[in-house]
Amino acid sequence: MKIAILGGTGNIGKGFALRLSYKYDVTIGSRNIEKAKASAAEYNEILEKYGSDDRIEGTDNKTAAQNADIIFLAIRYENIPSVIELITPILDKQIIVSVVVPMARDRCYINPDSSTLMIDVSDKDYNANYFCYSTPKAGSAAQEIAMLLPEGIELVSAFHNVPAHTLADLDKELDYDIGVCGNSMYSKNIVFELARDIPNLRPLDVGPIETSSMVESLTPLVINIASRNKLKDLGIKFV
Ligand SMILES: NC(=O)c1ccc[n+]([C@@H]2O[C@H](COP(=O)([O-])OP(=O)(O)OC[C@H]3O[C@@H](n4cnc5c(N)ncnc54)[C@H](OP(=O)(O)O)[C@@H]3O)[C@@H](O)[C@H]2O)c1
């Protein structure tokens, strides 16, 4: 099975490329083909150090998507519309995987004029320093993406809560649950398999695509807890 990781030169794309290349043909996409090739070469050097002769390819986003069975959107929320527009003409039967989390800092800012809130400057700064889920109009990033995709193209929303640096560090053992949302059980089963192919990830069925906001919004929660409590490699695990 061929996997394209659009935005594969970025933080989370690197981890998916490295971890999935053990079993799948992975191509990373970029807006810039030279950048994609350079990142692919860097990732292949890492794989070589770990004794793997698997090879990651690098190309432009559209070519990567065209030749894939599964397309990961490892792109920031605000850049999604242009990337979907780019790949729409070549979409056929590929399954799209969204890992996208819309987050903001500025929208969480505590309004100093709000009724009873009395805080001094330092306290205000501290309290302003957190992330929140920036709810898209459609309800979640996945629902927005579903609206942008041509009819018949299946979307699965997953892997939102895995920290990029941990995923990309092959020395790190992962121990996370992966909430998987989507309307097609066929596509979700394929994504379950992808998650199981990364050691110590446990995919869990969350529900249809409408449930994606619940999983997406766990990411700012995890980041806030990690940064305030100085915890590393934090993710989600249901026990
Ligand atoms: N970072 C995490 O820990 C993490 C965890 C879970 C989910 N996610 C989600 O994964 C997605 C990617 O996050 P990230 O941290 O990996 O992001 P990132 O490193 O900032 O960006 C990923 C890639 O997006 C491409 N890009 C930048 N501007 C673009 C534009 N205007 N149009 C199209 N592509 C553009 C860049 O690739 P080129 O320059 O090569 O085109 C870049 O390498 C986000 O939606 C995030 O919410 C992240």
Side-chain angles (χ1 to χ4, degrees), residues 6-13 29-32 35-36 61 73-77 79 82-83 99-103 159-165 219:
L6 311 191
T9 59
N11 299 318
I12 194 85
S30 168
R31 291 165 297 169
N32 177 327
K35 185 176 172 189
N61 282 329
L73 298 174
I75 308 267
R76 289 186 186 210
Y77 172 70
N79 301 325
S82 63
V83 173
V99 307
V100 178
V101 178
M103 294 194 311
F159 298 103
H160 311 88
N161 318 129
V162 180
H165 60 278
T219 299

PDB file of all heavy atoms in Angstrom, residues 6-13 29-32 35-36 61 73-77 79 82-83 99-103 159-165 219, ligand 1:
ATOM      1  N   LEU A   6       1.300  14.535   2.803  1.00  0.00           N
ATOM      2  CA  LEU A   6       1.387  15.918   2.316  1.00  0.00           C
ATOM      3  C   LEU A   6       1.802  16.790   3.488  1.00  0.00           C
ATOM      4  O   LEU A   6       1.256  16.662   4.591  1.00  0.00           O
ATOM      5  CB  LEU A   6       0.050  16.363   1.718  1.00  0.00           C
ATOM      6  CG  LEU A   6      -0.582  15.395   0.705  1.00  0.00           C
ATOM      7  CD1 LEU A   6      -1.762  16.070  -0.011  1.00  0.00           C
ATOM      8  CD2 LEU A   6       0.425  14.876  -0.317  1.00  0.00           C
ATOM      9  N   GLY A   7       2.760  17.661   3.251  1.00  0.00           N
ATOM     10  CA  GLY A   7       3.360  18.385   4.382  1.00  0.00           C
ATOM     11  C   GLY A   7       4.321  17.474   5.128  1.00  0.00           C
ATOM     12  O   GLY A   7       4.624  17.695   6.301  1.00  0.00           O
ATOM     13  N   GLY A   8       4.819  16.469   4.425  1.00  0.00           N
ATOM     14  CA  GLY A   8       5.696  15.463   5.046  1.00  0.00           C
ATOM     15  C   GLY A   8       7.049  16.000   5.453  1.00  0.00           C
ATOM     16  O   GLY A   8       7.820  15.300   6.115  1.00  0.00           O
ATOM     17  N   THR A   9       7.352  17.236   5.084  1.00  0.00           N
ATOM     18  CA  THR A   9       8.601  17.873   5.514  1.00  0.00           C
ATOM     19  C   THR A   9       8.472  18.474   6.910  1.00  0.00           C
ATOM     20  O   THR A   9       9.449  18.949   7.473  1.00  0.00           O
ATOM     21  CB  THR A   9       8.984  19.010   4.545  1.00  0.00           C
ATOM     22  OG1 THR A   9       7.897  19.951   4.535  1.00  0.00           O
ATOM     23  CG2 THR A   9       9.224  18.502   3.134  1.00  0.00           C
ATOM     24  N   GLY A  10       7.250  18.478   7.449  1.00  0.00           N
ATOM     25  CA  GLY A  10       6.992  19.173   8.718  1.00  0.00           C
ATOM     26  C   GLY A  10       7.158  18.272   9.931  1.00  0.00           C
ATOM     27  O   GLY A  10       7.594  17.117   9.832  1.00  0.00           O
ATOM     28  N   ASN A  11       6.773  18.813  11.084  1.00  0.00           N
ATOM     29  CA  ASN A  11       7.019  18.141  12.375  1.00  0.00           C
ATOM     30  C   ASN A  11       6.381  16.758  12.455  1.00  0.00           C
ATOM     31  O   ASN A  11       7.049  15.764  12.696  1.00  0.00           O
ATOM     32  CB  ASN A  11       6.449  19.005  13.512  1.00  0.00           C
ATOM     33  CG  ASN A  11       7.109  20.352  13.566  1.00  0.00           C
ATOM     34  OD1 ASN A  11       8.320  20.465  13.423  1.00  0.00           O
ATOM     35  ND2 ASN A  11       6.313  21.396  13.755  1.00  0.00           N
ATOM     36  N   ILE A  12       5.072  16.712  12.245  1.00  0.00           N
ATOM     37  CA  ILE A  12       4.382  15.427  12.440  1.00  0.00           C
ATOM     38  C   ILE A  12       4.574  14.528  11.222  1.00  0.00           C
ATOM     39  O   ILE A  12       4.613  13.312  11.328  1.00  0.00           O
ATOM     40  CB  ILE A  12       2.883  15.630  12.777  1.00  0.00           C
ATOM     41  CG1 ILE A  12       2.236  14.341  13.311  1.00  0.00           C
ATOM     42  CG2 ILE A  12       2.080  16.115  11.580  1.00  0.00           C
ATOM     43  CD1 ILE A  12       2.398  14.125  14.765  1.00  0.00           C
ATOM     44  N   GLY A  13       4.718  15.148  10.039  1.00  0.00           N
ATOM     45  CA  GLY A  13       4.929  14.368   8.811  1.00  0.00           C
ATOM     46  C   GLY A  13       6.169  13.502   8.901  1.00  0.00           C
ATOM     47  O   GLY A  13       6.183  12.357   8.429  1.00  0.00           O
ATOM     48  N   GLY A  29       5.234  14.636   0.528  1.00  0.00           N
ATOM     49  CA  GLY A  29       4.938  15.721  -0.401  1.00  0.00           C
ATOM     50  C   GLY A  29       5.289  17.062   0.209  1.00  0.00           C
ATOM     51  O   GLY A  29       5.321  17.218   1.428  1.00  0.00           O
ATOM     52  N   SER A  30       5.556  18.003  -0.676  1.00  0.00           N
ATOM     53  CA  SER A  30       5.876  19.368  -0.258  1.00  0.00           C
ATOM     54  C   SER A  30       5.395  20.304  -1.359  1.00  0.00           C
ATOM     55  O   SER A  30       5.124  19.877  -2.473  1.00  0.00           O
ATOM     56  CB  SER A  30       7.395  19.491  -0.089  1.00  0.00           C
ATOM     57  OG  SER A  30       7.782  20.838   0.033  1.00  0.00           O
ATOM     58  N   ARG A  31       5.333  21.606  -1.035  1.00  0.00           N
ATOM     59  CA  ARG A  31       5.083  22.575  -2.110  1.00  0.00           C
ATOM     60  C   ARG A  31       6.305  22.695  -2.994  1.00  0.00           C
ATOM     61  O   ARG A  31       6.228  23.145  -4.120  1.00  0.00           O
ATOM     62  CB  ARG A  31       4.758  23.954  -1.510  1.00  0.00           C
ATOM     63  CG  ARG A  31       3.428  24.014  -0.806  1.00  0.00           C
ATOM     64  CD  ARG A  31       3.342  25.228   0.048  1.00  0.00           C
ATOM     65  NE  ARG A  31       4.335  25.203   1.116  1.00  0.00           N
ATOM     66  CZ  ARG A  31       4.633  26.221   1.904  1.00  0.00           C
ATOM     67  NH1 ARG A  31       4.023  27.368   1.757  1.00  0.00           N
ATOM     68  NH2 ARG A  31       5.540  26.104   2.855  1.00  0.00           N
ATOM     69  N   ASN A  32       7.442  22.287  -2.459  1.00  0.00           N
ATOM     70  CA  ASN A  32       8.718  22.455  -3.153  1.00  0.00           C
ATOM     71  C   ASN A  32       9.395  21.090  -3.294  1.00  0.00           C
ATOM     72  O   ASN A  32       9.773  20.472  -2.292  1.00  0.00           O
ATOM     73  CB  ASN A  32       9.571  23.422  -2.314  1.00  0.00           C
ATOM     74  CG  ASN A  32      10.948  23.629  -2.890  1.00  0.00           C
ATOM     75  OD1 ASN A  32      11.537  22.719  -3.484  1.00  0.00           O
ATOM     76  ND2 ASN A  32      11.471  24.817  -2.697  1.00  0.00           N
ATOM     77  N   LYS A  35      12.748  20.584  -1.593  1.00  0.00           N
ATOM     78  CA  LYS A  35      12.635  20.464  -0.132  1.00  0.00           C
ATOM     79  C   LYS A  35      12.188  19.037   0.236  1.00  0.00           C
ATOM     80  O   LYS A  35      12.697  18.445   1.182  1.00  0.00           O
ATOM     81  CB  LYS A  35      11.630  21.507   0.386  1.00  0.00           C
ATOM     82  CG  LYS A  35      11.517  21.561   1.887  1.00  0.00           C
ATOM     83  CD  LYS A  35      10.574  22.671   2.344  1.00  0.00           C
ATOM     84  CE  LYS A  35      10.307  22.591   3.833  1.00  0.00           C
ATOM     85  NZ  LYS A  35       9.256  23.498   4.276  1.00  0.00           N
ATOM     86  N   ALA A  36      11.248  18.503  -0.537  1.00  0.00           N
ATOM     87  CA  ALA A  36      10.752  17.144  -0.271  1.00  0.00           C
ATOM     88  C   ALA A  36      11.884  16.141  -0.425  1.00  0.00           C
ATOM     89  O   ALA A  36      12.045  15.231   0.401  1.00  0.00           O
ATOM     90  CB  ALA A  36       9.609  16.808  -1.223  1.00  0.00           C
ATOM     91  N   ASN A  61       3.422  17.841  -3.616  1.00  0.00           N
ATOM     92  CA  ASN A  61       2.207  17.322  -2.968  1.00  0.00           C
ATOM     93  C   ASN A  61       1.265  16.627  -3.953  1.00  0.00           C
ATOM     94  O   ASN A  61       0.707  15.577  -3.656  1.00  0.00           O
ATOM     95  CB  ASN A  61       1.454  18.469  -2.277  1.00  0.00           C
ATOM     96  CG  ASN A  61       2.081  18.860  -0.942  1.00  0.00           C
ATOM     97  OD1 ASN A  61       2.656  18.021  -0.249  1.00  0.00           O
ATOM     98  ND2 ASN A  61       1.982  20.138  -0.592  1.00  0.00           N
ATOM     99  N   LEU A  73      -3.006  14.235   5.466  1.00  0.00           N
ATOM    100  CA  LEU A  73      -2.927  15.698   5.426  1.00  0.00           C
ATOM    101  C   LEU A  73      -2.183  16.143   6.680  1.00  0.00           C
ATOM    102  O   LEU A  73      -2.784  16.362   7.725  1.00  0.00           O
ATOM    103  CB  LEU A  73      -4.329  16.310   5.385  1.00  0.00           C
ATOM    104  CG  LEU A  73      -5.197  15.966   4.173  1.00  0.00           C
ATOM    105  CD1 LEU A  73      -6.600  16.530   4.364  1.00  0.00           C
ATOM    106  CD2 LEU A  73      -4.562  16.504   2.894  1.00  0.00           C
ATOM    107  N   ALA A  74      -0.867  16.264   6.565  1.00  0.00           N
ATOM    108  CA  ALA A  74      -0.041  16.686   7.715  1.00  0.00           C
ATOM    109  C   ALA A  74       0.301  18.168   7.547  1.00  0.00           C
ATOM    110  O   ALA A  74       1.458  18.566   7.486  1.00  0.00           O
ATOM    111  CB  ALA A  74       1.211  15.824   7.801  1.00  0.00           C
ATOM    112  N   ILE A  75      -0.756  18.955   7.445  1.00  0.00           N
ATOM    113  CA  ILE A  75      -0.678  20.375   7.106  1.00  0.00           C
ATOM    114  C   ILE A  75      -1.473  21.134   8.157  1.00  0.00           C
ATOM    115  O   ILE A  75      -2.455  20.611   8.683  1.00  0.00           O
ATOM    116  CB  ILE A  75      -1.385  20.602   5.730  1.00  0.00           C
ATOM    117  CG1 ILE A  75      -0.857  19.646   4.673  1.00  0.00           C
ATOM    118  CG2 ILE A  75      -1.364  22.034   5.288  1.00  0.00           C
ATOM    119  CD1 ILE A  75       0.256  20.132   3.851  1.00  0.00           C
ATOM    120  N   ARG A  76      -1.071  22.350   8.405  1.00  0.00           N
ATOM    121  CA  ARG A  76      -1.832  23.159   9.372  1.00  0.00           C
ATOM    122  C   ARG A  76      -3.219  23.496   8.844  1.00  0.00           C
ATOM    123  O   ARG A  76      -3.405  23.646   7.630  1.00  0.00           O
ATOM    124  CB  ARG A  76      -1.076  24.443   9.699  1.00  0.00           C
ATOM    125  CG  ARG A  76       0.140  24.147  10.536  1.00  0.00           C
ATOM    126  CD  ARG A  76       0.804  25.403  10.975  1.00  0.00           C
ATOM    127  NE  ARG A  76       2.032  25.050  11.660  1.00  0.00           N
ATOM    128  CZ  ARG A  76       2.587  25.758  12.632  1.00  0.00           C
ATOM    129  NH1 ARG A  76       2.040  26.890  13.005  1.00  0.00           N
ATOM    130  NH2 ARG A  76       3.694  25.357  13.203  1.00  0.00           N
ATOM    131  N   TYR A  77      -4.121  23.682   9.773  1.00  0.00           N
ATOM    132  CA  TYR A  77      -5.523  23.920   9.441  1.00  0.00           C
ATOM    133  C   TYR A  77      -5.709  25.022   8.396  1.00  0.00           C
ATOM    134  O   TYR A  77      -6.432  24.858   7.416  1.00  0.00           O
ATOM    135  CB  TYR A  77      -6.280  24.269  10.733  1.00  0.00           C
ATOM    136  CG  TYR A  77      -7.683  24.731  10.514  1.00  0.00           C
ATOM    137  CD1 TYR A  77      -8.663  23.842  10.086  1.00  0.00           C
ATOM    138  CD2 TYR A  77      -8.034  26.068  10.721  1.00  0.00           C
ATOM    139  CE1 TYR A  77      -9.960  24.276   9.873  1.00  0.00           C
ATOM    140  CE2 TYR A  77      -9.326  26.494  10.513  1.00  0.00           C
ATOM    141  CZ  TYR A  77     -10.288  25.595  10.082  1.00  0.00           C
ATOM    142  OH  TYR A  77     -11.564  26.030   9.864  1.00  0.00           O
ATOM    143  N   ASN A  79      -3.877  26.028   6.086  1.00  0.00           N
ATOM    144  CA  ASN A  79      -3.347  25.735   4.749  1.00  0.00           C
ATOM    145  C   ASN A  79      -4.106  24.621   4.030  1.00  0.00           C
ATOM    146  O   ASN A  79      -3.781  24.273   2.895  1.00  0.00           O
ATOM    147  CB  ASN A  79      -1.860  25.359   4.848  1.00  0.00           C
ATOM    148  CG  ASN A  79      -1.047  26.476   5.460  1.00  0.00           C
ATOM    149  OD1 ASN A  79      -1.337  27.647   5.226  1.00  0.00           O
ATOM    150  ND2 ASN A  79      -0.055  26.142   6.255  1.00  0.00           N
ATOM    151  N   SER A  82      -6.092  25.272   0.305  1.00  0.00           N
ATOM    152  CA  SER A  82      -5.272  25.344  -0.906  1.00  0.00           C
ATOM    153  C   SER A  82      -4.722  23.967  -1.281  1.00  0.00           C
ATOM    154  O   SER A  82      -4.606  23.629  -2.467  1.00  0.00           O
ATOM    155  CB  SER A  82      -4.129  26.349  -0.736  1.00  0.00           C
ATOM    156  OG  SER A  82      -3.266  25.926   0.297  1.00  0.00           O
ATOM    157  N   VAL A  83      -4.421  23.165  -0.281  1.00  0.00           N
ATOM    158  CA  VAL A  83      -3.872  21.831  -0.584  1.00  0.00           C
ATOM    159  C   VAL A  83      -4.979  20.934  -1.153  1.00  0.00           C
ATOM    160  O   VAL A  83      -4.763  20.193  -2.116  1.00  0.00           O
ATOM    161  CB  VAL A  83      -3.217  21.214   0.679  1.00  0.00           C
ATOM    162  CG1 VAL A  83      -2.794  19.777   0.420  1.00  0.00           C
ATOM    163  CG2 VAL A  83      -2.007  22.042   1.098  1.00  0.00           C
ATOM    164  N   VAL A  99      -5.055  14.636  10.248  1.00  0.00           N
ATOM    165  CA  VAL A  99      -4.511  14.687  11.618  1.00  0.00           C
ATOM    166  C   VAL A  99      -4.633  16.118  12.139  1.00  0.00           C
ATOM    167  O   VAL A  99      -4.053  16.476  13.154  1.00  0.00           O
ATOM    168  CB  VAL A  99      -3.038  14.224  11.637  1.00  0.00           C
ATOM    169  CG1 VAL A  99      -2.885  12.867  10.987  1.00  0.00           C
ATOM    170  CG2 VAL A  99      -2.089  15.216  10.964  1.00  0.00           C
ATOM    171  N   VAL A 100      -5.410  16.915  11.424  1.00  0.00           N
ATOM    172  CA  VAL A 100      -5.397  18.370  11.603  1.00  0.00           C
ATOM    173  C   VAL A 100      -6.130  18.807  12.879  1.00  0.00           C
ATOM    174  O   VAL A 100      -7.253  18.385  13.144  1.00  0.00           O
ATOM    175  CB  VAL A 100      -6.058  19.049  10.371  1.00  0.00           C
ATOM    176  CG1 VAL A 100      -6.106  20.554  10.553  1.00  0.00           C
ATOM    177  CG2 VAL A 100      -5.311  18.661   9.103  1.00  0.00           C
ATOM    178  N   VAL A 101      -5.464  19.679  13.625  1.00  0.00           N
ATOM    179  CA  VAL A 101      -6.053  20.246  14.852  1.00  0.00           C
ATOM    180  C   VAL A 101      -6.046  21.767  14.747  1.00  0.00           C
ATOM    181  O   VAL A 101      -4.974  22.376  14.736  1.00  0.00           O
ATOM    182  CB  VAL A 101      -5.246  19.825  16.098  1.00  0.00           C
ATOM    183  CG1 VAL A 101      -5.844  20.469  17.349  1.00  0.00           C
ATOM    184  CG2 VAL A 101      -5.208  18.319  16.245  1.00  0.00           C
ATOM    185  N   PRO A 102      -7.204  22.407  14.664  1.00  0.00           N
ATOM    186  CA  PRO A 102      -7.223  23.873  14.661  1.00  0.00           C
ATOM    187  C   PRO A 102      -7.061  24.391  16.091  1.00  0.00           C
ATOM    188  O   PRO A 102      -7.888  24.107  16.944  1.00  0.00           O
ATOM    189  CB  PRO A 102      -8.625  24.214  14.114  1.00  0.00           C
ATOM    190  CG  PRO A 102      -9.376  22.916  14.032  1.00  0.00           C
ATOM    191  CD  PRO A 102      -8.545  21.824  14.585  1.00  0.00           C
ATOM    192  N   MET A 103      -5.971  25.088  16.308  1.00  0.00           N
ATOM    193  CA  MET A 103      -5.706  25.585  17.670  1.00  0.00           C
ATOM    194  C   MET A 103      -5.374  27.058  17.605  1.00  0.00           C
ATOM    195  O   MET A 103      -4.900  27.548  16.590  1.00  0.00           O
ATOM    196  CB  MET A 103      -4.486  24.884  18.270  1.00  0.00           C
ATOM    197  CG  MET A 103      -4.656  23.428  18.519  1.00  0.00           C
ATOM    198  SD  MET A 103      -3.349  22.761  19.591  1.00  0.00           S
ATOM    199  CE  MET A 103      -1.867  23.357  18.856  1.00  0.00           C
ATOM    200  N   PHE A 159      -5.040  10.270  14.772  1.00  0.00           N
ATOM    201  CA  PHE A 159      -3.645  10.581  15.145  1.00  0.00           C
ATOM    202  C   PHE A 159      -3.450  12.015  15.641  1.00  0.00           C
ATOM    203  O   PHE A 159      -2.334  12.526  15.593  1.00  0.00           O
ATOM    204  CB  PHE A 159      -2.689  10.364  13.956  1.00  0.00           C
ATOM    205  CG  PHE A 159      -2.628   8.957  13.428  1.00  0.00           C
ATOM    206  CD1 PHE A 159      -3.274   8.605  12.255  1.00  0.00           C
ATOM    207  CD2 PHE A 159      -1.915   7.982  14.121  1.00  0.00           C
ATOM    208  CE1 PHE A 159      -3.209   7.307  11.758  1.00  0.00           C
ATOM    209  CE2 PHE A 159      -1.841   6.670  13.633  1.00  0.00           C
ATOM    210  CZ  PHE A 159      -2.490   6.341  12.438  1.00  0.00           C
ATOM    211  N   HIS A 160      -4.501  12.665  16.134  1.00  0.00           N
ATOM    212  CA  HIS A 160      -4.373  14.086  16.494  1.00  0.00           C
ATOM    213  C   HIS A 160      -3.545  14.324  17.741  1.00  0.00           C
ATOM    214  O   HIS A 160      -3.025  15.409  17.934  1.00  0.00           O
ATOM    215  CB  HIS A 160      -5.759  14.695  16.745  1.00  0.00           C
ATOM    216  CG  HIS A 160      -6.739  14.396  15.667  1.00  0.00           C
ATOM    217  ND1 HIS A 160      -7.517  13.275  15.681  1.00  0.00           N
ATOM    218  CD2 HIS A 160      -7.051  15.075  14.548  1.00  0.00           C
ATOM    219  CE1 HIS A 160      -8.280  13.260  14.609  1.00  0.00           C
ATOM    220  NE2 HIS A 160      -8.019  14.336  13.899  1.00  0.00           N
ATOM    221  N   ASN A 161      -3.498  13.329  18.619  1.00  0.00           N
ATOM    222  CA  ASN A 161      -2.960  13.584  19.961  1.00  0.00           C
ATOM    223  C   ASN A 161      -1.550  13.030  20.168  1.00  0.00           C
ATOM    224  O   ASN A 161      -1.051  12.983  21.282  1.00  0.00           O
ATOM    225  CB  ASN A 161      -3.898  12.982  21.028  1.00  0.00           C
ATOM    226  CG  ASN A 161      -5.369  13.218  20.739  1.00  0.00           C
ATOM    227  OD1 ASN A 161      -6.173  12.294  20.760  1.00  0.00           O
ATOM    228  ND2 ASN A 161      -5.735  14.455  20.436  1.00  0.00           N
ATOM    229  N   VAL A 162      -0.913  12.597  19.073  1.00  0.00           N
ATOM    230  CA  VAL A 162       0.444  12.048  19.192  1.00  0.00           C
ATOM    231  C   VAL A 162       1.452  13.187  19.062  1.00  0.00           C
ATOM    232  O   VAL A 162       1.405  13.946  18.099  1.00  0.00           O
ATOM    233  CB  VAL A 162       0.704  11.010  18.076  1.00  0.00           C
ATOM    234  CG1 VAL A 162       2.106  10.439  18.189  1.00  0.00           C
ATOM    235  CG2 VAL A 162      -0.321   9.906  18.128  1.00  0.00           C
ATOM    236  N   PRO A 163       2.376  13.341  20.019  1.00  0.00           N
ATOM    237  CA  PRO A 163       3.352  14.434  19.890  1.00  0.00           C
ATOM    238  C   PRO A 163       4.359  14.164  18.772  1.00  0.00           C
ATOM    239  O   PRO A 163       4.931  13.078  18.677  1.00  0.00           O
ATOM    240  CB  PRO A 163       4.048  14.458  21.254  1.00  0.00           C
ATOM    241  CG  PRO A 163       3.713  13.188  21.934  1.00  0.00           C
ATOM    242  CD  PRO A 163       2.541  12.559  21.254  1.00  0.00           C
ATOM    243  N   ALA A 164       4.587  15.179  17.947  1.00  0.00           N
ATOM    244  CA  ALA A 164       5.421  15.017  16.753  1.00  0.00           C
ATOM    245  C   ALA A 164       6.840  14.575  17.088  1.00  0.00           C
ATOM    246  O   ALA A 164       7.374  13.658  16.463  1.00  0.00           O
ATOM    247  CB  ALA A 164       5.451  16.334  15.981  1.00  0.00           C
ATOM    248  N   HIS A 165       7.453  15.229  18.077  1.00  0.00           N
ATOM    249  CA  HIS A 165       8.863  14.917  18.350  1.00  0.00           C
ATOM    250  C   HIS A 165       9.023  13.474  18.844  1.00  0.00           C
ATOM    251  O   HIS A 165      10.028  12.831  18.590  1.00  0.00           O
ATOM    252  CB  HIS A 165       9.454  15.913  19.365  1.00  0.00           C
ATOM    253  CG  HIS A 165       8.747  15.900  20.686  1.00  0.00           C
ATOM    254  ND1 HIS A 165       7.573  16.597  20.906  1.00  0.00           N
ATOM    255  CD2 HIS A 165       9.017  15.258  21.841  1.00  0.00           C
ATOM    256  CE1 HIS A 165       7.170  16.386  22.149  1.00  0.00           C
ATOM    257  NE2 HIS A 165       8.021  15.588  22.736  1.00  0.00           N
ATOM    258  N   THR A 219      -6.044  17.741  21.869  1.00  0.00           N
ATOM    259  CA  THR A 219      -4.638  18.105  21.637  1.00  0.00           C
ATOM    260  C   THR A 219      -4.231  19.370  22.400  1.00  0.00           C
ATOM    261  O   THR A 219      -3.209  19.354  23.103  1.00  0.00           O
ATOM    262  CB  THR A 219      -4.356  18.221  20.126  1.00  0.00           C
ATOM    263  OG1 THR A 219      -4.610  16.938  19.553  1.00  0.00           O
ATOM    264  CG2 THR A 219      -2.918  18.618  19.846  1.00  0.00           C
TER     265      THR A 219
HETATM  266  N1  LIG B   1       3.085  18.906  15.684  1.00  0.00           N
HETATM  267  C1  LIG B   1       2.388  18.002  16.381  1.00  0.00           C
HETATM  268  O1  LIG B   1       2.822  17.516  17.447  1.00  0.00           O
HETATM  269  C2  LIG B   1       1.059  17.526  15.850  1.00  0.00           C
HETATM  270  C3  LIG B   1       0.418  16.445  16.468  1.00  0.00           C
HETATM  271  C4  LIG B   1      -0.793  15.996  15.954  1.00  0.00           C
HETATM  272  C5  LIG B   1      -1.387  16.649  14.884  1.00  0.00           C
HETATM  273  N2  LIG B   1      -0.760  17.711  14.315  1.00  0.00           N
HETATM  274  C6  LIG B   1      -1.383  18.373  13.175  1.00  0.00           C
HETATM  275  O2  LIG B   1      -0.588  18.064  12.046  1.00  0.00           O
HETATM  276  C7  LIG B   1      -0.615  19.164  11.125  1.00  0.00           C
HETATM  277  C8  LIG B   1       0.808  19.577  10.794  1.00  0.00           C
HETATM  278  O3  LIG B   1       1.437  20.014  11.970  1.00  0.00           O
HETATM  279  P1  LIG B   1       3.016  20.279  11.988  1.00  0.00           P
HETATM  280  O4  LIG B   1       3.361  20.684  13.366  1.00  0.00           O
HETATM  281  O5  LIG B   1       3.714  19.123  11.375  1.00  0.00           O
HETATM  282  O6  LIG B   1       3.083  21.560  11.021  1.00  0.00           O
HETATM  283  P2  LIG B   1       4.314  22.280  10.346  1.00  0.00           P
HETATM  284  O7  LIG B   1       5.569  21.505  10.589  1.00  0.00           O
HETATM  285  O8  LIG B   1       4.296  23.699  10.747  1.00  0.00           O
HETATM  286  O9  LIG B   1       3.898  22.269   8.798  1.00  0.00           O
HETATM  287  C9  LIG B   1       3.787  21.082   8.050  1.00  0.00           C
HETATM  288  C10 LIG B   1       4.089  21.397   6.608  1.00  0.00           C
HETATM  289  O10 LIG B   1       3.096  22.260   6.044  1.00  0.00           O
HETATM  290  C11 LIG B   1       3.645  22.800   4.845  1.00  0.00           C
HETATM  291  N3  LIG B   1       3.140  24.159   4.644  1.00  0.00           N
HETATM  292  C12 LIG B   1       3.505  25.297   5.288  1.00  0.00           C
HETATM  293  N4  LIG B   1       2.822  26.355   4.804  1.00  0.00           N
HETATM  294  C13 LIG B   1       2.000  25.866   3.838  1.00  0.00           C
HETATM  295  C14 LIG B   1       1.063  26.463   2.957  1.00  0.00           C
HETATM  296  N5  LIG B   1       0.810  27.794   2.979  1.00  0.00           N
HETATM  297  N6  LIG B   1       0.413  25.677   2.083  1.00  0.00           N
HETATM  298  C15 LIG B   1       0.643  24.341   2.052  1.00  0.00           C
HETATM  299  N7  LIG B   1       1.529  23.718   2.853  1.00  0.00           N
HETATM  300  C16 LIG B   1       2.198  24.472   3.737  1.00  0.00           C
HETATM  301  C17 LIG B   1       5.166  22.789   5.010  1.00  0.00           C
HETATM  302  O11 LIG B   1       5.681  21.933   4.011  1.00  0.00           O
HETATM  303  P3  LIG B   1       6.387  22.472   2.668  1.00  0.00           P
HETATM  304  O12 LIG B   1       7.036  23.793   2.999  1.00  0.00           O
HETATM  305  O13 LIG B   1       7.380  21.419   2.417  1.00  0.00           O
HETATM  306  O14 LIG B   1       5.303  22.553   1.658  1.00  0.00           O
HETATM  307  C18 LIG B   1       5.374  22.188   6.383  1.00  0.00           C
HETATM  308  O15 LIG B   1       6.493  21.335   6.454  1.00  0.00           O
HETATM  309  C19 LIG B   1      -1.397  20.286  11.806  1.00  0.00           C
HETATM  310  O16 LIG B   1      -2.713  20.330  11.315  1.00  0.00           O
HETATM  311  C20 LIG B   1      -1.403  19.896  13.273  1.00  0.00           C
HETATM  312  O17 LIG B   1      -2.561  20.340  13.946  1.00  0.00           O
HETATM  313  C21 LIG B   1       0.461  18.163  14.758  1.00  0.00           C
END
